[in-house]
Amino acid sequence: MRLLVTGGAGFIGSNFVQLTVRERPDVQVTVLDALTYAGDRASLAPVADAITFVEGDVTDAPLVDRLVGAADVVVHFAAESHNDNSLHDPWPFVRTNVIGTYTLLEAVRKHGVRYHHISTDEVYGDLELDDPERFTASTPYNPSSPYSSTKASSDLLVRAWARSFGIQATISNCSNNYGPYQHVEKFIPRQVTNVIDGVRPKLYGQGLNVRDWIHVEDHNTAVWAIIDRGRAGETYLIGADGEMNNRDVVELILELSGLPTDAYDLVADRPGHDMRYAIDSSMLRTELGWEPRYRSFRDGLAATVAWYRDNEAWWRPRKEATEAKYAQLGR
Ligand code: NAD
Ligand code: DAU
């Protein structure tokens, strides 16, 4: 199989490429990545000799056409991915997430290539803390932020291209990922590296917002299950029953780091901050037989904390600029 992976130098994409090289020796991987502030070739260093890397933009139609034409399957991870950035400057989100997806879909349509679209549970909006419901594939779209609205837009383009043009496409909407190679702007790596630096973790608002955590490797084994066995035109929700509020996550990071569990600060809240996400992944489990490998969030988080302690050379170059941005926002 000739596999084109967009965004393969980012957090989830680089973990996906590493997993693929480790576990799928029959697959030839080409990565297309623009190496934005969020992309890093060092995240692919362990597999650099086993893949082809192309530095380029998913909105570059001639380049995308050439690469898609040489592939059997495309997995589209590339995106602007951080909600806080989208509140400051939405345009790169519209450009990459909407126009980039459109560009890929047109190439996929022309060349008749199988396409898997990586999306987020944030397209469904948020839930109240006491709501017994979880998101399913039939939950209405109701995105809150510029980021999630551009992801929702891209999902709708995929659905339209599948229905109107018959492209062989699947979509997955996953909950919050954690694990190695995640940018220090994101919640867990930001707090873990703050603690390493002797800085108190920072919780938005009261820290009561709930996210449904899944280890990045579990997200990626689910993506492979969908590529292998998913039905064209279908949407699969990916989650591992990992609901936890932000305060509990920070307290666990502090405990795992041998610090008092109240050594954090409450800071200004994110505008429009989604309260709670929760995924019902029963369709993925029953239809495709997928199960997560990581059964304990505590163990997965401990391994992630250890990874950031052991790989300071990977994250240190981005830490100062990231914190300077947050300081401007008072967060
Ligand atoms: P990331 O920000 O870590 O990585 C994004 C990658 O895309 C980077 O390597 C970047 O250089 C590349 N990129 C950005 N714009 C590009 C462009 N115009 N052309 C080519 N490459 C470009 O993001 P992530 O957290 O790894 O997320 C990957 C995908 O998974 C996204 O589509 C995101 O919406 C989705 N997702 C993320 C999570 C999560 O918890 N992080 C959960 C569910 C879904
Ligand atoms: O649900 C999937 C989504 O998860 C993905 O689509 C996004 O790409 C990914 O970034 C993530 O979005 P969130 O906005 O949930 O993730 P973030 O890491 O930015 O924040 C997680 C929670 O932690 C959220 O409630 C905000 C809060 N937070 C975040 C930061 C950076 C804090 O309390 N303090 C912080 O310093």
Side-chain angles (χ1 to χ4, degrees), residues 299-314:
D299 292 351
L301 187 63
T304 303
V305 170
W307 189 88
Y308 280 89
R309 286 197 178 278
D310 294 343
N311 289 277
E312 185 168 339
W314 181 85

Side-chain angles (χ1 to χ4, degrees), residues 18 20 31 40 45 49 84 125 131 148 152 162 194 227 230 259 276 322:
Q18 291 199 34
T20 301
V31 168
D40 188 348
D49 294 340
D84 288 327
D131 192 332
S148 52
N194 275 352
I227 295 170
L259 292 167
R276 171 175 163 245
T322 302

Side-chain angles (χ1 to χ4, degrees), residues 218-283:
D218 287 329
H219 181 177
N220 286 331
T221 58
V223 170
W224 266 114
I226 297 166
I227 295 170
D228 287 338
R229 301 186 290 285
R231 277 180 293 136
E234 199 52 80
T235 290
Y236 296 89
L237 271 66
I238 305 175
D241 300 330
E243 279 190 72
M244 194 175 287
N245 77 33
N246 295 336
R247 194 182 290 192
D248 288 342
V249 173
V250 157
E251 288 181 358
L252 189 50
I253 291 169
L254 288 163
E255 186 200 318
L256 291 167
S257 308
L259 292 167
T261 55
D262 61 354
Y264 58 80
D265 291 328
L266 300 178
V267 296
D269 208 350
R270 171 186 284 171
H273 195 175
D274 279 341
M275 198 61 203
R276 171 175 163 245
Y277 306 137
I279 290 273
D280 175 350
S281 62
S282 50
M283 182 175 149

Side-chain angles (χ1 to χ4, degrees), residues 119-121 123-124 141 155 171-174 235-238 279:
S119 192
T120 170
D121 60 357
V123 299
Y124 301 114
Y141 274 34
D155 292 9
I171 299 176
S172 55
N173 297 85
C174 187
T235 290
Y236 296 89
L237 271 66
I238 305 175
I279 290 273

Side-chain angles (χ1 to χ4, degrees), residues 1-6 16-32 44 47-54 67-75 113-114 224 227:
M1 179 194 290
R2 297 168 304 165
L3 180 69
L4 178 64
V5 181
T6 73
F16 179 79
V17 171
Q18 291 199 34
L19 175 82
T20 301
V21 170
R22 253 192 342 263
E23 300 190 2
R24 304 293 294 245
D26 53 316
V27 176
Q28 290 170 34
V29 179
T30 299
V31 168
L32 171 62
L44 292 168
V47 293
D49 294 340
I51 65 166
T52 302
F53 183 86
V54 179
L67 294 174
V68 170
D72 302 308
V73 178
V74 176
V75 186
V113 168
R114 166 90 168 83
W224 266 114
I227 295 170

Side-chain angles (χ1 to χ4, degrees), residues 6-7 32-38 56-60 64 76-82 89-105 115 117-118 146-147 149-151 153-155 157:
T6 73
L32 171 62
D33 197 295
L35 296 179
T36 68
Y37 80 96
D57 202 294
V58 289
T59 63
D60 179 343
V64 165
H76 179 35
F77 288 95
E80 287 291 337
S81 69
H82 194 36
D89 181 11
W91 166 240
F93 291 74
V94 174
R95 183 183 169 281
T96 289
N97 300 358
V98 183
I99 301 173
T101 299
Y102 161 78
T103 307
L104 278 158
L105 289 172
Y115 176 83
H117 185 71
I118 302 292
Y147 163 67
S149 62
T150 59
K151 292 298 291 186
S153 308
S154 69
D155 292 9
L157 293 179

